[in-house]
Each structure stands twice: as C-alpha cells, then as structure tokens.
Amino acid sequence: VQLQASGGGLVQAGGSLRLSCAASGRTFSRVTTGWFRQGPGKEREFVSAISWGGSRTYYGDPVKGRFTISRDNAKNTVYLQMMSLKPEDTAVYYCAAYRLAYSTDGYNNPAQYNYWGQGTLVTVSS
C-alpha cells in the first residue's frame, strides 16, 4: 500500500480544511486507516481512525466533535474533515494504513501501522 496525503494549507482559527489520503493497492479496503499529527517540538499524536468498511470511527480527545473521518473504498481514499480549527491543530498530518487486515486493535498506536504517507502541513493562524 502506498499513501499520498493532501489538502493541507494555511487557515485562520475557526476555519476548515479537508485532508485526503489516496491509496494504491488492492488491500486498502481491508485495513483500518488512521490519521496522526506531529506539531513543532511535539511527539506524533493520534488524531482519528476508521475501520476498513467505515462502520467504526475513532477520535483523539483534542479533536472530538470538530473532526470527521470518512472513507470511499471505491476511490481508495480516506478523508479528514477538520472544522473549528485552532492554532494548536498546527502540525504535519500523516495518514497510515494498519498492518493487519480486518482489525482495529490498538488503532491509536502508531506502531500498529506499517504504511505511512508523506504528510501534509496544516497551519492554523490565530
């Protein structure tokens, strides 16, 4: 699986962005996909994850109620709709594909993902 994240940019606080993660490979529709972020001087942080069929979604506490994850397996793409953005959301956002098919165990642990996109930068100005 190869992943390509896009959609980042500069936005004012309170604004919105939609990130996309386009994947290649026939196994994408069988695996959980996650978004992680890494802000300046910070460790990589779990943002959100979605199960292979889209029936289960998970969110980190800082983004609950503001971000929505979805996927379109026909397009091999996962989306992250980000609303009410805050300066503390500034980070490089990475999408990742889970190492096992049909599993969500440890969905918030980056060690459970073995395919990573290159990252897309989101900057939120105050």
Side-chain angles (χ1 to χ4, degrees):
V1 177
Q2 291 184 321
L3 305 173
Q4 178 82 27
S6 62
L10 174 64
V11 63
Q12 288 189 328
S16 302
L17 280 175
R18 188 177 80 156
L19 305 184
S20 297
C21 176
S24 62
R26 292 177 293 175
T27 61
F28 181 71
S29 62
R30 305 173 195 171
V31 296
T32 293
T33 305
W35 286 96
F36 293 80
R37 68 185 182 186
Q38 188 162 15
K42 298 181 180 180
E43 293 186 353
R44 190 163 295 194
E45 176 186 36
F46 170 73
V47 176
S48 183
I50 187 166
S51 60
W52 56 95
S55 62
R56 282 175 276 177
T57 58
Y58 309 91
Y59 297 94
D61 286 342
V63 308
K64 280 181 182 176
R66 299 188 297 122
F67 291 12
T68 303
I69 192 169
S70 62
R71 69 188 299 156
D72 184 342
N73 283 341
K75 296 182 178 179
N76 265 14
T77 303
V78 169
Y79 304 97
L80 185 69
Q81 179 68 50
M82 306 186 295
M83 311 273 289
S84 302
L85 284 161
K86 305 175 181 180
E88 51 264 44
D89 294 318
T90 294
V92 177
Y93 284 70
Y94 300 90
C95 61
Y98 198 79
R99 63 184 181 86
L100 296 174
Y102 307 123
S103 176
T104 58
D105 292 347
Y107 61 83
N108 60 347
N109 182 355
Q112 297 297 336
Y113 296 79
N114 59 352
Y115 298 101
W116 291 81
Q118 85 289 1
T120 184
L121 176 63
V122 172
T123 304
V124 184
S125 63
S126 57

